[in-house]
Amino acid sequence: DTNPTVLRRIAAELPAEMPCVLVVPYSITAPRMLRSLGFSVDSTRANRAFLSAHHFEQEIWRVVDPILSTRLAVVMLVFPAMLESSGVSPDGFVERLDAFLSVLPDSIPWAIEIREPAFLTLHHARVLARWGAAHVYSTAKEMPAFEEQTRAVPSARAMVFRLADPVDERLGSAPQRRRALIDALEQNPWDEAFVLTPDAAEGSTPE
């Protein structure tokens, strides 16, 4: 929610030392408009605000920045599994992401979540490294195991893990997922790591 009143209340209620995560709305990250993503209508037309830096600055960042910027540990772009079906190619996506990140403040702690394995390319990894953005380790359907994601897209900064709700059974049992997460965290070369999980995925988080 980018309502200033809501953001100020959140900032006032949270402990000062608690880092915050901003998940950017699908209005920026979805190439098409669907009700299931929170849009008011279903449309086969392209979403004009898809990876629009101007829209992000005017509708989101100019509201969030004065209130939460010093508290934000992660600003996450979550791309729903509809890029390929919307006619967006891996190279075309990377070019748009690169252009988007290039005109926004370097101080924004970006983290990028991809939900289609075909988009975890070397070109994508290089763009993340160029702008200091983290790769979000996702357990969304069809995504490969953590170690495969590491090989495809080495994180450029703090490690961010997001466990889907529900976690795909293809990734093994809850103990196996916990072990894989712990192994990845132990190999973390960075100073920070974040694990984002809904209640339904709780069995996959380290205790």
Side-chain angles (χ1 to χ4, degrees):
D1 194 328
T2 54
N3 181 304
T5 301
V6 173
L7 292 176
R8 290 190 186 94
R9 186 175 71 245
I10 291 172
E13 292 177 353
L14 290 176
E17 68 277 6
M18 179 177 288
C20 297
V21 173
L22 172 67
V23 179
V24 175
Y26 285 131
S27 59
I28 297 291
T29 60
R32 287 186 293 117
M33 296 178 285
L34 297 176
R35 281 195 177 92
S36 60
L37 299 179
F39 291 94
S40 59
V41 295
D42 283 331
S43 175
T44 58
R45 292 181 301 176
N47 171 20
R48 292 184 178 180
F50 176 56
L51 283 177
S52 166
H54 176 76
H55 187 84
F56 174 81
E57 284 189 301
Q58 293 301 309
E59 301 299 325
I60 299 169
W61 194 243
R62 73 178 182 85
V63 179
V64 173
D65 184 32
I67 302 171
L68 286 178
S69 63
T70 60
R71 307 278 297 275
L72 286 172
V74 175
V75 176
M76 188 155 52
L77 297 173
V78 180
F79 294 92
M82 60 187 297
L83 296 172
E84 187 173 18
S85 65
S86 300
V88 180
S89 69
D91 284 345
F93 168 72
V94 171
E95 289 171 5
R96 292 190 70 153
L97 179 64
D98 191 24
F100 176 86
L101 297 177
S102 71
V103 297
L104 292 167
D106 293 338
S107 58
I108 298 178
W110 296 110
I112 313 300
E113 180 178 351
I114 298 294
R115 295 182 174 180
E116 295 170 86
F119 287 78
L120 296 180
T121 64
L122 179 59
H123 191 186
H124 177 65
R126 287 171 174 165
V127 166
L128 298 196
R130 181 180 302 136
W131 301 113
H135 165 65
V136 177
Y137 288 78
S138 173
T139 58
K141 188 176 182 181
E142 306 304 332
M143 289 298 289
F146 292 150
E147 60 268 25
E148 294 178 53
Q149 294 186 47
T150 296
R151 287 194 293 269
V153 188
S155 185
R157 51 174 301 278
M159 297 183 85
V160 182
F161 295 83
R162 192 182 196 202
L163 306 185
D165 179 11
V167 175
D168 194 330
E169 292 182 0
R170 183 180 51 82
L171 297 174
S173 65
Q176 289 172 320
R177 294 193 294 268
R178 279 197 300 271
R179 183 68 261 169
L181 179 56
I182 292 170
D183 289 344
L185 290 170
E186 288 177 342
Q187 296 168 25
N188 174 22
W190 310 105
D191 294 332
E192 296 178 303
F194 302 91
V195 180
L196 313 177
T197 174
D199 292 341
E202 218 168 66
S204 301
T205 57
E207 295 178 356

